[in-house]
Amino acid sequence: MSKTIIISNRLPVQLQISDGGLSAIPSVGGLATGMKSVHSGDDSLWIGWSGLTDEDIPNILEPQIDHALRELNCSKVRLNKSDIEGYYFGFSNRTIWPLFHYFLEYSEFELDFWESYKAVNQKFADAIIEAADEDDIIWVHDYQLLLVPEMVKAKRPNATIGFFLHIPFPSYEIFRTLPWREHILRGLLGADLIGFHTYDYERHFLSSVRRLLGLDVSFNDIYLEDRVIKVDSFPMGIDYHKFSEAAKKSIALQGKHRSDLQKKLDEHKRSAPGTKLIVSIDRLDYSKGIAKRINAFEYFLNKYPEYKEKVRLIILAVPSRSNVPQYQLLKREIDELVGRINGELSTVNWTPIWYFYRSLPFENLIDLYTSSDIAWLTPLRDGMNLVAKEYIATRTDKTGVLILSEMAGSANEMNEALLINPNNFEEQADTLKQAITMPKEEQMARNMFLQKRLQRYNVEVWANEFMNSLKSQRKAVGTFVSEKMTGTILDWITTKYNSSKNRLLFLDYDGTLTGFHKDPQKASPDKELYEILDALHHQENTTVFLISGRDKTTFSKWFLDRKYNMIVEHGVWISTKGEDFKMLEKVKGDWMEKIRPVLESFVDRTPGSFIEEKNYSLAWHYRNTDPDFGQKRATELNTVLRSLIGNDDISVLNGNKVMEVKSSNVNKGRASVRMLSQADYDFVFAIGDDWTDEFMFEELPDSTITVKVGLQKTQAKYHVEGPKKVRELLKQFIQS
Ligand code: ADP
Ligand code: G6P
């Protein structure tokens, strides 16, 4: 039976050694609490860090630790102190975390951190490779392990790998500042499916992939060599049932059975009836906006002094990453703020802020949720924020008000909450007042919608949707495009090649025989290519045509003295055996005067684009433009041209980062079929990467061996990855 392997930095439990004995506490944070509900049964294995370093673990305890973890279907990755320093406290939490949360000024770009991050990611990848069977599904989590998918894919090309990022993916403008940005993207692209909490994070990621790696992206599919990688958003849910049941249980407990914290909260309610409790729960993290929230609370009390002694703010800040300097500074700042405000505003009957800096047991968390009239969550940036969802789930009588920052991923799905901008104190003060005075009916009406949604799209549904999408992605890859040119197929083609008596080969040039270049003139043939083409050209019983959209001047310069057969401008001109180019099709060029100014206006408005003028066609190239902008302009130009052309004599071809306007009666399909009709061929072969090559694939007879370069939808029978593979294939023909 296949199993699911979950990989994250932290395991769901953190091990501790005290007095020589072993104990386990639950991990905090959205990832661990969410995935814990998904990880169950023997068909799931969770690989991660135990919370202890090699130095912490005495040899004698090692078997006990492994045994305890095995009981939980977990397995540990061994990390030493220096790994944790460089990879966890360093690159993960001093580089990626601040950068991805838009705290650019906190982000440190240290080579040592990066080296350690790579090495530790490799340790995780090795642990997966060792544990995974052929048909297992591998699900990698979060920003600590961005390189793992590629590392696993390198050793296990057939493995099914999903990746989910639990934090925001920043806009391209932020991401591009990272010195190792391409490595990070390539690391992620080892996965078959990459998931984010929101569409915005997904769109930011796709934009970086396009701009930094120059890969083709179509909707949410990324084309990388012979793979298609799917990117999608899956907003993470919570274990709704667990939270609502725990709330019911906590409310039902009577007298002495109630927790100490609950007793204190009850006492507060009894002694100050009519007062409101506002709660906020976060890890102590600068992204959570805790200091701003405290300042905003002071602002509120000054703006609406009538609420002094009527409201109390409970802050639960869970210790987090306390070795990182920014977290230490924040801790000091919050201590001071709370001290100052309580010092200034407290009365004998009232302390405005109750501040807890500790990790509380789950039951106490529930006590806080159920006893508070308002939850006030103000992250400056947050991937999701599950606390907001948990608060709503515990409101079994449907009362309670949630005030939530727009900057949290969860705000996208929680429209009925009071959404605020955490930087706007005026708005926050007014919203607090609105929350305090909100009628019960309104609270219940809002929460009813929220609860319904959270109940339906819970963490289980979230995980299932991700898994189903991952599985169907793997299936789709096989059927989506043409068949991959495997060694067996190539052998079969070569045998056919050898036994044939008269062969005809059509070879596209750009993107097929050679890669793309920023300046098309610089994509000239190299020595190896000349050798291959010479050898093919001189083979007995073999007619080779270079068939291209290029102009005849360039091809004459590169190939005429070698006497290759050439068809250029998509079929307007032909040259055979070193003769000058002749017209293959009768075409008109009078339309060009009208279209040229239109293209020129697009060049003026699209930096990096340019016009290539051929004898009977005009091409607008946009390979060197900003990818998003260029694509947008291409769509615009397409609309403009189609409305201008309006007759059948001229057509627009959408090539690879080029749009070409040309006579309709010219295309590579028509040209290749004409060549085919001139002799009796028993082996016909056509290869190309572009949209314009599809005409050949479509129009040449069925018996033709058609090959697409790259993994895009095609009419060709087979596909190969790129020019390197094309050359290998042609060399097989030569050697035979
Ligand atoms: P983040 O993942 O950034 O920490 P989230 O709000 O998404 O933020 O997730 C926090 C998770 O940690 C929640 O599921 C919450 O229940 C849990 N949590 C927060 N405080 C505590 C605590 N004191 N003890 C146990 N779990 C906690
Ligand atoms: C966030 C991250 C998690 C992380 C958690 C707690 O939720 O997305 O990956 O585990 O914070 O942080 P910590 O550094 O203590 O693991």
Side-chain angles (χ1 to χ4, degrees):
M1 191 175 67
S2 79
K3 60 183 179 298
T4 302
I5 304 187
I6 300 168
I7 306 94
S8 66
N9 173 53
R10 279 196 196 278
L11 286 172
V13 289
Q14 294 300 286
L15 300 182
Q16 289 175 339
I17 297 175
S18 49
D19 303 330
L22 197 63
S23 60
I25 54 160
S27 301
V28 288
L31 190 169
T33 46
M35 287 305 294
K36 213 175 340 187
S37 315
V38 175
H39 169 67
S40 56
D42 288 339
D43 53 354
S44 169
L45 170 70
W46 193 327
I47 298 179
W49 174 47
S50 67
L52 295 171
T53 61
D54 287 350
E55 290 83 347
D56 294 330
I57 304 177
N59 284 344
I60 190 161
L61 272 188
E62 181 113 28
Q64 197 185 332
I65 287 175
D66 288 340
H67 176 76
L69 292 177
R70 229 183 348 262
E71 293 282 290
L72 300 167
N73 291 326
C74 289
S75 158
K76 71 175 194 312
V77 176
R78 298 184 61 139
L79 300 181
N80 58 39
K81 267 208 164 59
S82 126
D83 289 336
I84 290 299
E85 276 308 313
Y87 143 82
Y88 173 73
F89 287 116
F91 198 76
S92 297
N93 289 315
R94 289 168 76 161
T95 309
I96 297 283
W97 178 272
L99 190 73
F100 281 35
H101 286 84
Y102 292 72
F103 286 81
L104 200 55
E105 70 281 17
Y106 292 176
S107 227
E108 296 170 48
F109 301 141
E110 288 285 333
L111 191 59
D112 287 353
F113 290 169
W114 167 243
E115 293 299 340
S116 169
Y117 186 80
K118 277 195 295 186
V120 173
N121 269 244
Q122 191 62 58
K123 287 191 179 184
F124 276 84
D126 292 345
I128 298 167
I129 292 161
E130 200 189 316
D133 292 321
E134 218 24 60
D135 50 355
D136 288 347
I137 293 183
I138 298 166
W139 191 359
V140 186
H141 290 265
D142 228 0
Y143 66 102
Q144 302 91 343
L145 304 175
L146 299 170
L147 304 177
V148 167
E150 186 188 28
M151 289 168 167
V152 176
K153 198 60 134 198
K155 297 252 174 69
R156 291 281 182 93
N158 294 324
T160 305
I161 307 175
F163 181 91
F164 192 84
L165 187 71
H166 291 258
I167 66 171
F169 194 92
S171 91
Y172 163 71
E173 287 301 337
I174 297 285
F175 183 70
R176 73 198 294 206
T177 61
L178 185 65
W180 307 280
R181 57 205 188 175
E182 287 89 357
H183 295 81
I184 296 283
L185 293 179
R186 289 205 176 277
L188 282 170
L189 292 181
D192 302 292
L193 171 68
I194 304 174
F196 298 93
H197 282 307
T198 73
Y199 173 66
D200 280 336
Y201 309 155
E202 174 191 337
R203 143 179 103 69
H204 290 157
F205 173 70
L206 288 174
S207 166
S208 285
V209 166
R210 254 196 302 258
R211 289 163 184 227
L212 294 169
L213 301 184
L215 294 180
D216 280 333
V217 176
S218 164
F219 297 100
N220 53 352
D221 288 334
I222 301 171
Y223 296 91
L224 173 66
E225 292 162 1
D226 67 337
R227 297 175 48 226
V228 184
I229 296 133
K230 187 171 173 187
V231 179
D232 211 341
S233 53
F234 304 86
M236 189 178 190
I238 56 164
D239 187 340
Y240 189 92
H241 186 71
K242 176 174 143 192
F243 281 89
S244 65
E245 286 307 305
K248 281 184 204 151
K249 218 167 112 194
S250 154
I251 293 165
L253 284 178
Q254 295 298 326
K256 66 176 181 15
H257 298 293
R258 308 198 113 191
S259 69
D260 287 345
L261 177 67
Q262 187 62 60
K263 284 183 201 148
K264 187 119 196 325
L265 293 165
D266 292 342
E267 192 184 302
H268 162 84
K269 289 201 163 171
R270 255 196 317 274
S271 65
T275 60
K276 299 278 181 182
L277 276 185
I278 306 172
V279 72
S280 76
I281 298 178
D282 329 76
R283 278 180 308 100
L284 188 106
D285 195 301
Y286 47 81
S287 65
K288 304 286 183 182
I290 305 173
K292 269 218 166 116
R293 186 184 312 146
I294 299 173
N295 281 316
F297 187 56
E298 184 184 25
Y299 189 88
F300 162 76
L301 291 174
N302 288 329
K303 185 171 179 187
Y304 298 109
E306 64 271 28
Y307 289 110
K308 285 184 181 166
E309 303 201 336
K310 299 278 186 313
V311 294
R312 170 167 286 146
L313 174 61
I314 305 179
I315 297 179
L316 172 61
V318 184
S320 183
R321 305 170 197 164
S322 41
N323 279 20
V324 176
Q326 292 299 346
Y327 289 72
Q328 293 164 354
L329 287 175
L330 179 69
K331 161 85 173 56
R332 221 169 302 147
E333 187 187 356
I334 292 176
D335 284 350
E336 281 170 20
L337 263 177
V338 172
R340 181 179 65 71
I341 294 173
N342 276 345
E344 281 173 18
L345 298 178
S346 289
T347 63
V348 272
N349 300 320
W350 178 63
T351 322
I353 304 174
W354 279 354
Y355 171 49
F356 301 91
Y357 174 65
R358 71 192 73 145
S359 183
L360 294 180
F362 178 71
E363 292 70 29
N364 285 163
L365 208 64
I366 300 294
D367 294 339
L368 282 176
Y369 285 146
T370 53
S371 304
S372 302
D373 308 283
I374 297 165
W376 187 22
L377 305 167
T378 60
L380 302 171
R381 201 64 73 164
D382 204 337
M384 175 46 73
N385 198 299
L386 294 180
V387 168
K389 297 186 171 181
E390 293 169 5
Y391 174 71
I392 294 295
T394 59
R395 307 304 299 179
T396 50
D397 65 358
K398 295 202 168 35
T399 62
V401 183
L402 171 64
I403 305 177
L404 177 61
S405 162
E406 299 165 0
M407 315 300 168
S410 50
N412 286 319
E413 311 154 65
M414 304 188 86
N415 242 319
E416 294 79 5
L418 300 180
L419 300 181
I420 46 100
N421 174 352
N423 301 305
N424 186 341
F425 281 18
E426 206 62 36
E427 183 191 37
Q428 295 217 63
D430 295 346
T431 308
L432 273 176
K433 182 165 184 254
Q434 184 190 352
I436 292 167
T437 55
M438 186 183 286
K440 279 223 154 57
E441 299 70 44
E442 183 181 344
Q443 298 178 19
M444 293 165 85
R446 286 172 182 265
N447 290 340
M448 191 185 71
F449 284 112
L450 288 168
Q451 290 188 344
K452 260 201 183 143
R453 205 170 305 136
L454 293 177
Q455 218 163 350
R456 200 175 51 236
Y457 198 88
N458 60 26
V459 72
E460 205 182 328
V461 174
W462 167 81
N464 283 341
E465 294 224 332
F466 184 90
M467 280 299 188
N468 291 339
S469 179
L470 177 57
K471 286 175 199 159
S472 59
Q473 172 66 4
R474 286 297 290 174
K475 257 194 238 138
V477 169
T479 55
F480 174 54
V481 286
S482 51
E483 204 175 331
K484 185 173 174 159
M485 176 80 74
T486 57
T488 324
I489 296 174
L490 185 53
D491 288 346
W492 171 78
I493 295 173
T494 317
T495 313
K496 219 165 137 55
Y497 186 93
N498 288 338
S499 61
S500 58
K501 298 197 177 58
N502 201 10
R503 310 160 188 136
L504 178 61
L505 273 57
F506 295 104
L507 314 178
D508 167 51
Y509 184 75
D510 294 281
T512 301
L513 295 177
T514 183
F516 286 101
H517 202 283
K518 280 191 167 178
D519 175 357
Q521 289 306 317
K522 294 220 171 103
S524 52
D526 51 88
K527 187 164 165 277
E528 184 196 51
L529 183 57
Y530 277 130
E531 281 167 10
I532 293 172
L533 292 176
D534 277 343
L536 279 175
H537 180 65
H538 290 117
Q539 253 183 0
E540 292 271 293
N541 305 325
T542 310
T543 308
V544 184
F545 270 97
L546 294 179
I547 185 160
S548 166
R550 289 260 183 180
D551 65 280
K552 63 184 166 71
T553 320
T554 309
F555 263 35
S556 298
K557 189 170 80 194
W558 289 346
F559 303 121
L560 197 66
D561 60 349
R562 295 186 178 249
K563 301 190 169 36
Y564 297 164
N565 302 315
M566 299 177 271
I567 293 173
V568 295
E569 289 196 26
H570 301 287
V572 177
W573 304 97
I574 183 164
S575 158
T576 51
K577 300 179 187 150
E579 287 169 8
D580 281 345
F581 274 99
K582 286 192 299 246
M583 253 190 158
L584 184 63
E585 292 285 352
K586 251 193 125 32
V587 286
K588 288 196 232 148
D590 49 354
W591 54 270
M592 291 169 75
E593 286 310 307
K594 292 195 194 105
I595 297 295
R596 191 180 295 106
V598 177
L599 297 190
E600 279 167 356
S601 84
F602 272 76
V603 168
D604 291 344
R605 295 186 298 128
T606 318
S609 71
F610 63 92
I611 299 173
E612 185 188 359
E613 186 142 348
K614 306 179 193 174
N615 296 72
Y616 288 96
S617 70
L618 290 170
W620 179 72
H621 288 266
Y622 59 97
R623 177 167 305 281
N624 306 332
T625 63
D626 173 287
D628 286 339
F629 186 55
Q631 196 53 53
K632 198 168 144 248
R633 279 277 192 259
T635 312
E636 205 182 311
L637 178 59
N638 198 22
T639 317
V640 172
L641 288 173
R642 285 187 194 286
S643 68
L644 271 180
I645 290 167
N647 71 41
D648 294 342
D649 294 347
I650 311 165
S651 57
V652 181
L653 278 186
N654 286 307
N656 194 332
K657 304 280 184 269
V658 56
M659 290 184 69
E660 186 148 2
V661 192
K662 54 173 227 10
S663 291
S664 300
N665 63 340
V666 176
N667 66 48
K668 289 185 183 180
R670 203 173 144 111
S672 54
V673 169
R674 273 182 72 166
M675 294 309 106
L676 178 66
S677 66
Q678 294 185 352
D680 215 2
Y681 295 105
D682 58 353
F683 180 94
V684 187
F685 175 89
I687 189 165
D689 71 306
D690 203 336
W691 219 87
T692 59
D693 300 307
E694 293 294 320
F695 288 104
M696 291 196 286
F697 304 152
E698 207 172 334
E699 291 185 31
L700 284 166
D702 240 12
S703 54
T704 309
I705 293 163
T706 48
V707 185
K708 175 87 168 177
V709 184
L711 194 72
Q712 251 119 23
K713 278 209 173 102
T714 180
Q715 306 262 4
K717 295 194 181 85
Y718 308 104
H719 72 262
V720 293
E721 283 156 34
K724 201 168 147 235
K725 282 271 178 314
V726 175
R727 292 184 183 195
E728 282 170 20
L729 186 158
L730 295 177
K731 281 183 197 161
Q732 287 265 108
F733 289 173
I734 297 163
Q735 281 155 14
S736 57

